[in-house]
Amino acid sequence: MNMKRALRILLLASTAATSMPLLAQEADNAQPGLDAEVAQDEIIVTARRREETSIAAPIALTALGGQELQRRNINTVDMLARAVPTLITSEATSSPQGGIVAIRGLSGVDANPFGDQAVSFNIDGVPVARSSVRRLGQMDLAQIEVLKGPQALFFGKNSPGGIISMRTADPTASLSAGLNAGYEVKADEVRLEGFVAGPISDTLGFRVAGYYSKMKGFVRNVAPSGGANVLVPFDRRVPNGDEYAIRGTLKWEPSDRFDARLKISYNDSNGSGSTDNLQFLNCPLGRPQGTPAGFATPEDCRADGRVTSTDNIGPNFAIADPRFGTETFLKSDQVLGGLEMNYQLNDVLKLSSITGYYKARNSYVGNFIANFQENGIPQTFLPAFAGLSIREITQELRLTSDFDGPVNFMFGGLYQDSHATNQAVVYRNANAPVFSANYDYTQEGEAYSIFGQVMIELLPKLELSGGARYSNESKELTVFRAAIAANRNTLVDVDAPRRARFNNLSPEATLTFRPNDNLTIYGSYKEGFLSGGFNATQPTLNPVLNANGRYTSLVDLRYDQQLITGFEGGIKSAFLNGDLRTNLALYSYETTGLQVAVLVGLNQELRNAGAVRTKGVEFDFTYRTPLDGLSLRGAVAYQDGKYTDYQATCYRGLPAPACRVQVNRFTGQAGLLHDLSGTQLVRSPDWSGNLGFDYISPEFAGLKVGLQGAFTFSDSFFTDVVSAPGGRQKSYQLFDAGIRLMDADERWEIGLMGRNLGNTYYFTRSADNPLSGGAPGGASTLLGDTVGVPNRGREIWINAIVRFGN
């Protein structure tokens, strides 16, 4: 279906949804926001750093309240993706940051541990542009807002794809507590979450929340239990591990002009690692290449609940380097702290301060060939150790006005100080380890920005807002050391460009028309950027020491910033006394200097390699039906995401002339490339969406019953940046359903929830196995084997919730 037809369909749907309030309501009875009947269920959002209803915010967003998150059992970012079309997340096996987060096809490069993400997180006002924060315990949430498109003005740098804004729950006016216990049958997973909150004094309140989970594993390892050159797995159920988190909150309100909120969270995760579920997703020969002749391999070369990747890497790698050990693992601990203070200077001016602290330490040992056999599949064994430590301190000040007149403003500034270290070691061949890499990086960063917005009420129902953010950022490699094969355990300083500085001015302008309380029409022009930096991955060195006793890097580790510019518009409406609400958004953006990870030999490198155009239309609705207790919801998105200028690294088995030596139009460097200009953007399905319902019965015998169901779908899309045929995920559908029994006051409930009831497997990130397939640009057209980590299969959850107090 082409773009014009998609626009016509969704515009007709939106016209039907918005024409009724236009005909049925007076145009001159409006104040910004909603009338009382509509506002009773409306979520208050802070998408523009002001508290306003979601229908009044001229931004494309999806907002989910705490009760809905709990009812739908959304307790991870990966689960959140099923509720928000164009939001795609997944584990990443080759990055200490450990994840991919994409909105509308734009994501950061997870292969570079120092790289900022195109989709940033904002947790209780603290910005974190790292995917590692996905692992922070997401418990006791008050609400989540997913803001789509560039958000440079309100949420700082590094948000060209969007923002996932999370607000955790605050203290309560009286003593209260809650406990949520869950058990998932297939993975033998236990999950506990609880809180205690209340007042300490008339002006000071507290809240303590905690979370714990332990899982034996939802995938069965079917590797052989013996045989020649077989590394027998330690665990037959993977991935497994445990995790816990705790958060403390203090809120102080000594007067109606000042309040302060302090939140400190700690998370600790210890597991077997995502490579334990690294699977062969596609094998051109029907079995992994390099399988010994006559060997009956258990590998079925498809995404499912079976895996042959072993967590046993053998004893010899630990002899070569003790950081390996003998078993794969993934360990992570994180601290997130935020202090928000608001001071009402007078009746119309408010000064806000948000101080943030984030520290994360992640380390892993992974098996990156998805197999169990040395000298077999695919002729070698490739484990790696990596350790990443990140520390960020941020300070934001913001002055906001609330005049009765036609002009208001918001001005402020943000400062960030960051420190990051990354080390890694890579060997091959389990019988006699062969050195591949050993390196150590430290990066110091400093960034500041100033921003401002002016809002002008041109007419009583027409507002023009405009503003910009200026950002200045410097990064320096204070440590860059590496080893070579001849002296594999001795790290030597490396000469290379070590300083980089970036400047950006991102303007934004929005025209908003509110003819009444229940209708908002808006159009925006936006710009944004994703900071540049350094590749903190395996370096390419001149192995001969120079006159200073250092190695020399043969490549410039720096990459430039990525820029985005475009337009967005939408219609938000509520009618039938607020029972039916609809949102329509249309957008068109151009991205230049696209940051992508490319595989050069066995090395991942981040480069500015292309330009992208993304345009699309999104529509969602919620409907509280005339049947008491029944509500419906749905969302659909169409996106046309294409590379407009992109020469990608050739995938395995791509012959000439499609793969040939050519000069990259962005980097000016020659290499084996193939031109993907005009083809589909990675992780950008044409169509995606969801449909669901919730029903709570009338009270009977002091009890109520809740029913719910959900359907999620996605078109096919590429899952790697080289568009290898084996990396295309086919279209898929997911089905969820649940039932709950609760008392009339909902003080307790028990429930049964089924996720992905069709046991459908899909993947959102993949790569060619570099030791398979024909050489790119050569005579062989044998494609490489595709490997990746699939999603979790069917889940059956049993839940029990108890609530105390108000």
Side-chain angles (χ1 to χ4, degrees), residues 210-222:
Y211 155 78
Y212 173 78
S213 73
K214 186 176 182 64
M215 179 171 63
K216 289 188 177 180
F218 50 83
V219 173
R220 185 164 52 95
N221 193 305
V222 297

Side-chain angles (χ1 to χ4, degrees), residues 240-443:
N240 52 62
D242 57 76
E243 181 180 19
Y244 70 88
I246 187 170
R247 179 188 302 117
T249 301
L250 290 175
K251 186 176 182 181
W252 186 41
E253 297 180 279
S255 71
D256 59 357
R257 289 193 175 273
F258 179 80
D259 64 81
R261 181 189 291 108
L262 174 66
K263 291 179 179 283
I264 300 176
S265 302
Y266 175 76
N267 170 267
D268 184 278
S269 176
N270 189 349
S272 60
S274 59
T275 61
D276 273 10
N277 190 26
L278 186 64
Q279 300 185 18
F280 285 90
L281 305 173
N282 183 274
C283 302
L285 300 182
R287 56 192 288 151
Q289 296 172 40
T291 303
F295 184 83
T297 176
E299 178 59 61
D300 58 8
C301 291
R302 64 181 183 184
D304 55 20
R306 304 165 72 255
V307 69
T308 59
S309 179
T310 181
D311 57 352
N312 178 6
I313 64 172
N316 295 324
F317 293 112
I319 297 173
D321 192 299
R323 288 173 289 184
F324 276 112
T326 60
E327 186 173 2
T328 63
F329 67 84
L330 172 63
K331 297 180 179 179
S332 170
D333 63 85
Q334 302 181 76
V335 176
L336 179 69
L339 174 61
E340 178 181 353
M341 296 183 290
N342 298 293
Y343 179 44
Q344 197 73 40
L345 300 175
N346 52 43
D347 291 342
V348 295
L349 294 176
K350 183 171 76 171
L351 180 65
S352 299
S353 167
I354 300 178
T355 305
Y357 175 84
Y358 176 65
K359 185 174 183 179
R361 294 181 299 179
N362 303 325
S363 61
Y364 71 71
V365 166
N367 166 18
F368 289 94
I369 57 168
N371 76 294
F372 56 86
Q373 191 172 21
E374 169 62 22
N375 295 330
I377 314 165
Q379 304 295 346
T380 188
F381 208 76
L382 181 67
F385 163 84
L388 172 65
S389 176
I390 298 171
R391 189 269 300 147
E392 295 180 344
I393 298 173
T394 57
Q395 175 61 56
E396 180 177 338
L397 291 174
R398 192 170 62 249
L399 180 66
T400 308
S401 74
D402 187 19
F403 295 108
D404 290 334
V407 179
N408 275 286
F409 65 82
M410 180 271 294
F411 294 111
L414 173 70
Y415 174 80
Q416 180 187 70
D417 177 82
S418 63
H419 172 88
T421 63
N422 181 61
Q423 55 178 300
V425 58
V426 184
Y427 277 77
R428 294 182 290 120
N429 194 330
N431 290 330
V434 177
F435 173 85
S436 183
N438 185 5
Y439 55 85
D440 183 10
Y441 294 84
T442 297
Q443 176 183 277

Side-chain angles (χ1 to χ4, degrees), residues 15 27 200 208 329 451 527 780:
T15 302
I200 297 175
V208 177
F329 67 84
F451 53 89
E527 293 186 13
S780 174

